[in-house]
């Protein structure tokens, strides 16, 4: 067994296993972080999205050996922030959540979109969401929620 250390939601984390063990499985099964969903196992749906060193990454495509020393943020860590509060409120008010399966990945994508550009236009939002699939909302409500969060969260991003 090998020992892997990284930062998880702002705190030092240690995992013992193989370098090829998938980050998605480790986060869900070892650290009990269930916001990360396994939707496709091939990086197509975005339900397993996390933020690694400020970038949106699909955890089903990443091995633990690739994140040694890195900062990994899941929805469990992000939801303690004011940014999350603004996004959560906007998603609720815009009816951007239906079944909820994709929501954590969409919220993480929204955070990365707004961190890169606090005032994105619709095209930029849709491009930023392009790696995340939603089978329920048709994306319009999610786009409106991100636009609302950008307005109401002025100065947070």
């Amino acid at each position: 067994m090998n020992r892997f250390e990284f930062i998880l939601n702002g705190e030092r984390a240690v995992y013992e296993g193989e370098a090829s063990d998938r980050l998605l499985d480790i986060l869900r099964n070892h650290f009990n972080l269930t916001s990360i969903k396994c939707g496709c196992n091939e990086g197509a749906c975005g339900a397993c999205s996390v933020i690694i060193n400020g970038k949106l990454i699909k955890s089903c495509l990443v091995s633990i050996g690739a994140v040694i020393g890195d900062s990994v943020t899941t929805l469990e860590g992000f939801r303690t922030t004011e940014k999350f509060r603004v996004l959560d409120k906007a998603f609720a008010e815009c009816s951007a959540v239906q079944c909820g399966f994709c929501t954590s990945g969409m919220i993480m994508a929204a955070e990365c979109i707004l961190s890169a550009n606090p005032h994105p236009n619709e095209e930029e939002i849709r491009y930023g969401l392009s790696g995340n699939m939603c089978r329920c909302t048709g994306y319009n409500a999610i786009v409106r929620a991100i636009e609302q969060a950008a307005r109401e969260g002025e100065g947070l991003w």
Side-chain angles (χ1 to χ4, degrees):
M1 289 237 169
N2 298 304
R3 182 178 171 93
F4 303 93
E5 294 186 25
F6 60 105
I7 305 300
L8 179 59
N9 296 326
E11 298 188 16
R12 183 178 162 272
V14 176
Y15 172 74
E16 292 185 2
E18 299 302 319
S20 61
D21 291 350
R22 231 173 25 158
L23 183 60
L24 180 147
D25 300 322
I26 294 164
L27 294 174
R28 284 189 62 83
N29 302 328
H30 182 75
F31 291 103
N32 299 314
L33 299 171
T34 57
S35 70
I36 301 102
K37 308 291 189 242
C38 183
C40 69
N41 268 331
E42 58 187 34
C45 74
C48 67
S49 294
V50 297
I51 298 173
I52 300 177
N53 299 330
K55 294 186 173 147
L56 189 68
I57 304 290
K58 295 167 185 169
S59 65
C60 72
L61 299 177
V62 177
S63 66
I64 190 65
V67 298
I68 297 170
D70 289 344
S71 176
V72 177
T73 304
T74 68
L75 186 64
E76 287 85 353
F78 181 62
R79 72 177 174 207
T80 64
T81 68
E82 182 65 16
K83 291 177 179 181
F84 173 78
R85 190 194 65 71
V86 171
L87 282 166
D88 185 48
K89 179 178 179 280
F91 268 63
E93 289 178 356
C94 292
S95 299
V97 176
Q98 287 186 20
C99 83
F101 192 80
C102 72
T103 305
S104 58
M106 290 292 184
I107 292 282
M108 300 309 278
E111 159 61 8
C112 288
I113 291 166
L114 294 171
S115 288
N117 179 0
H119 303 286
N121 63 36
E122 181 180 343
E123 182 180 335
E124 292 165 328
I125 292 170
R126 288 185 184 278
Y127 179 79
L129 293 174
S130 65
N132 292 67
M133 291 178 63
C134 176
R135 292 176 176 94
C136 300
T137 68
Y139 301 93
N140 291 333
I142 296 169
V143 171
R144 283 193 308 274
I146 296 170
E147 289 171 336
Q148 178 177 321
R151 285 189 307 275
E152 293 182 1
E154 182 69 36
L156 288 175
W157 288 279

